[in-house]
Amino acid sequence: MSLSNSASKLQAIRWARPRLDILDQLLLPHASTYIDICSSADGHRAIATMQTRGAPAIAIVAALSLAAELLGSSREKVSQLNTEAASAFIEERLDFLATSRPTAVNLFDAIRKLKAVVRNAATNNDDVVGAYVSAAEAMLAADVADNQAIGRLGAEFIRQRATGNELKVLTHCNTGALATAGHGTALGIIRSLHNSEKSLDHVYFSETRPYNQGARLTAYELLVEEIPATLVCDSAVSALLRSDPSIRAIVVGADRVARNGDTANKIGTYQLAITAKFHGRDFIVAAPTTSIDLDLASGAGIVIEERSQDEVLTTEGYDIESVLSGGELKRAAVRVAPVGVNAWNPSFDVTPADLITAVVTEKGVFVKAEGTKEFDLLQSLANL
Ligand SMILES: CSC[C@H]1O[C@H](OP(=O)(O)O)[C@H](O)[C@@H]1O
């Protein structure tokens, strides 16, 4: 069964039952190479090494990696188990996949839902593998639909609030087709703005040190989509906002949104929210409801992934000679900071709800009640 999940020219995840391929994002933008993911072990490794990344994509690759395994290498073994043992095997594999990265809630939301599907199938003595694979495939399709809804709703929201003749926005990290099953969240809003009556004049995007999701991945997506855009250093954003009043909004993704709207996202997001507030610009979080953690009252409890100090002490690039000569693409880490210096390298930070203008989901655009500093996303979703 082949599912078309591309809502843009780029497709980070390719699923054609029983085969899963992902775009190796460690090699982008200089090489576009798909790699086979045949098992939950392959899926775990691809997520942990960030060959695939982005909150929604992490969940979908995890789910489909186990589907590929159940239809492939583990098919024979699982077929000889009774329903209860097969269900237990699937749950054990899902618990393993849950250890791949800690911050994006989408992974844990997907695992919770998939376990419920399998337990239900086991209770009814149904085909647990078939039920699992169908549920994982449904997540792939749902994410594309969610992102297109986020794009449409977010674009409408920004256009309604835009003043002046020009509309420009800024985004951080990568939240596009490379971070999801297609179209994207924050970058999905930008795609929708660009595609609708060409109402978007320009996009600025930050390099997003130290992993450079912006300079490598968002740059690649915007070039492929031919969206007029300019790359800026993370440290240049405040000066840019001060110099260009037509930048009306900063739009970012999310890895985990708490009930009150506090949002964990790529490191650097918090200071973007501060500068947006100072310069009187909207700060918009784009996130599917699979990124909202309703069990979390605020952002205080969000686990922030710490990555190696090396990412800060060096600058990751590519052996440009081998790139230019068409040779094997090699990533090259050039040491910048002196040996012996310490570094602090959290992969995410938490932006307080007070600094967020709106949370755009596939189910609606949520804003804070007049005079309040926090959202009530539980109530907002319940009121739909
Ligand atoms: C829609 S992707 C959400 C989120 O994921 C990215 O993190 P990473 O590249 O480390 O997986 C970034 O925080 C995006 O905003």
Side-chain angles (χ1 to χ4, degrees):
M1 173 183 192
S2 171
L3 285 172
S4 166
N5 59 300
S6 172
S8 52
K9 295 171 189 165
L10 282 173
Q11 205 172 349
I13 303 167
R14 281 192 322 205
W15 171 256
R17 192 191 292 181
R19 185 184 172 105
L20 173 64
D21 296 318
I22 62 165
L23 199 50
D24 184 344
Q25 300 193 27
L26 292 177
L27 300 181
L28 286 176
H30 301 299
S32 179
T33 306
Y34 282 90
I35 53 177
D36 293 354
I37 300 294
C38 303
S39 66
S40 50
D42 288 351
H44 187 286
R45 182 172 48 254
I47 293 164
T49 61
M50 296 178 72
Q51 284 178 302
T52 187
R53 29 66 49 203
I58 287 168
I60 292 160
V61 168
L64 289 176
S65 71
L66 180 50
E69 177 177 340
L70 293 169
L71 297 173
S73 59
S74 293
R75 186 186 188 93
E76 186 60 31
K77 175 170 74 174
V78 174
S79 69
Q80 291 164 12
L81 300 176
N82 64 35
T83 303
E84 192 177 336
S87 174
F89 173 80
I90 289 173
E91 293 208 28
E92 183 276 330
R93 289 286 84 200
L94 288 173
D95 289 338
F96 166 66
L97 284 161
T99 65
S100 53
R101 286 184 79 187
T103 303
V105 71
N106 310 57
L107 175 63
F108 307 97
D109 178 70
I111 286 170
R112 177 178 55 78
K113 289 170 181 171
L114 290 164
K115 283 185 174 180
V117 164
V118 167
R119 284 177 188 149
N120 183 57
T123 305
N124 299 320
N125 210 24
D126 285 345
D127 168 14
V128 292
V129 169
Y132 177 89
V133 171
S134 297
E137 289 178 338
M139 289 178 177
L140 178 74
D143 187 56
V144 177
D146 288 351
N147 296 334
Q148 289 175 324
I150 288 169
R152 187 179 68 257
L153 292 169
E156 283 167 20
F157 182 76
I158 290 173
R159 257 203 308 278
Q160 283 164 10
R161 293 170 64 89
T163 54
N165 299 325
E166 281 192 297
L167 173 58
K168 301 174 188 174
V169 299
L170 182 138
T171 193
H172 184 60
C173 198
N174 174 257
T175 59
L178 295 175
T180 65
H183 195 67
T185 57
L187 207 52
I189 291 175
I190 287 169
R191 274 194 169 92
S192 297
L193 275 171
H194 174 72
N195 294 335
S196 66
E197 306 127 35
K198 299 294 177 211
S199 53
L200 180 64
D201 292 285
H202 206 85
V203 179
Y204 289 93
F205 61 104
S206 57
E207 61 188 345
T208 317
R209 285 275 302 149
Y211 203 75
N212 297 317
Q213 288 94 329
R216 292 190 302 116
L217 306 176
T218 297
Y220 184 74
E221 289 209 44
L222 292 168
L223 283 174
V224 165
E225 300 285 346
E226 297 178 71
I227 296 174
T230 300
L231 170 65
V232 297
C233 291
D234 297 326
S235 49
V237 171
S238 293
L240 178 65
L241 290 184
R242 189 175 187 182
S243 72
D244 190 344
S246 59
I247 302 173
R248 300 307 312 150
I250 293 180
V251 194
V252 298
D255 291 83
R256 192 181 295 241
V257 184
R259 272 205 313 268
N260 74 340
D262 290 352
T263 296
N265 195 52
K266 185 52 51 202
I267 187 72
T269 301
Y270 175 38
Q271 59 193 27
L272 291 178
I274 293 168
T275 194
K277 187 92 172 181
F278 180 84
H279 291 92
R281 314 297 164 86
D282 282 345
F283 188 83
I284 296 165
V285 169
T289 49
T290 50
S291 297
I292 297 177
D293 185 350
L294 293 175
D295 295 332
L296 209 52
S298 76
I302 298 177
V303 173
I304 299 296
E305 178 186 18
E306 294 265 348
R307 295 183 63 82
S308 81
Q309 293 196 22
D310 283 355
E311 276 183 353
V312 181
L313 304 176
T314 60
T315 182
E316 277 284 317
Y318 300 86
D319 176 342
I320 198 64
E321 286 311 315
S322 80
V323 173
L324 297 180
S325 62
E328 183 206 352
L329 181 67
K330 292 193 287 277
R331 284 172 67 79
V334 175
R335 187 172 187 89
V336 176
V339 173
V341 72
N342 281 327
W344 180 56
N345 187 24
S347 194
F348 303 97
D349 57 27
V350 177
T351 299
D354 181 32
L355 296 177
I356 298 171
T357 310
V359 176
V360 180
T361 75
E362 74 283 5
K363 295 183 175 176
V365 180
F366 302 122
V367 294
K368 300 185 287 284
E370 193 67 34
T372 64
K373 290 179 179 280
E374 294 187 340
F375 296 78
D376 183 345
L377 294 176
L378 186 63
Q379 193 57 57
S380 299
L381 288 166
N383 291 344
L384 291 175

